Amino acid sequence: MASVLITGANKGLGLETARQLVRAGHTVWLGSRDEDRGLSAASEAGARFVQLDVTSDESVAAAVKTVEQLDVLVNNAGIAPEWTESGVVGADAVTADLMRETFEVNLFGLVRVLHAFLPLLERSAAPVVVNVSSRLASLATAAAGSGYPGVAYPVSKAAVNMVTLQYAKAFPRMRINAVEPGFTATDLNRGSGRQTVEQGAEIIVRMAQIGPDGPTGGYFDAQGPLPW
């Protein structure tokens, strides 16, 4: 059984992923920026809590010392501040500040965590990284006309896809993939998603448990590979 760390896991897809992986027999570290919420979520899921703010070097460094051993890293933490009460901020209103806020968690936070935990992953006999992306990150989907007007979130996830590819090439012994959980009802989209967290977590859980002969450098949803 593997030692797994999930970022942004005190609710939504992260929490459900923790539940399913604990049920599968893995040791799961539930990462959460908020200590009270994280402790409560970890208790509910049967996981171990680690305080983890992906935007803080100090917090991430402390988490590395707490976890000590890691086989699977699930980079789940993400935000979509372009979703507002009045609708999604589109290209006519997006600002550099909104882009920066989004990238700070979705991309820079992911890289910060991945960089910090690489030494632990390299010690594992079967290291796995799952980067939670989105179908909106697909250039092919955007070119075909997805109908989604936002800019900051899709661009940040497209960058996550490229990070996935580059790390997969750099660390061929690791299985490093991006996944699209589907339009899931979470706080990220103000509960507007069309599927449950149980359904959305399925591809994350599946890719977290692949073996050394599994795919790497891929981009998947529950049905299979996605176009870049």
Side-chain angles (χ1 to χ4, degrees), residues 80-224:
E82 63 193 37
W83 282 77
T84 70
E85 291 183 0
S86 56
V88 178
V89 177
D92 59 335
V94 69
T95 63
D97 286 341
L98 180 59
M99 293 288 285
R100 188 176 297 108
E101 180 184 0
T102 306
F103 268 63
E104 188 60 48
V105 174
N106 295 1
L107 181 66
F108 305 148
L110 181 151
V111 172
R112 178 178 286 109
V113 171
L114 185 49
H115 175 74
F117 279 93
L118 274 174
L120 294 188
L121 287 167
E122 289 186 299
R123 293 178 203 161
S124 171
V128 172
V129 177
V130 180
N131 295 326
V132 178
S133 183
S134 167
R135 188 178 298 271
L136 297 174
S138 167
L139 300 185
T141 299
S146 70
Y148 181 77
V151 176
Y153 183 77
V155 172
S156 73
K157 291 300 187 177
V160 166
N161 283 4
M162 180 57 78
V163 165
T164 300
L165 276 174
Q166 295 301 92
Y167 273 82
K169 289 189 295 183
F171 299 95
R173 195 175 68 84
M174 297 186 190
R175 304 294 89 185
I176 304 175
N177 295 287
V179 299
E180 142 69 335
F183 192 30
T184 305
T186 66
D187 288 352
L188 189 81
N189 53 46
R190 297 176 176 264
S192 62
R194 293 188 292 269
Q195 65 180 14
T196 65
V197 289
E198 290 82 3
Q199 293 170 313
E202 191 274 334
I203 185 60
I204 307 174
V205 171
R206 187 197 314 172
M207 297 307 290
Q209 298 182 97
I210 60 172
D213 59 345
T216 192
Y219 177 34
F220 302 92
D221 70 3
Q223 281 68 54

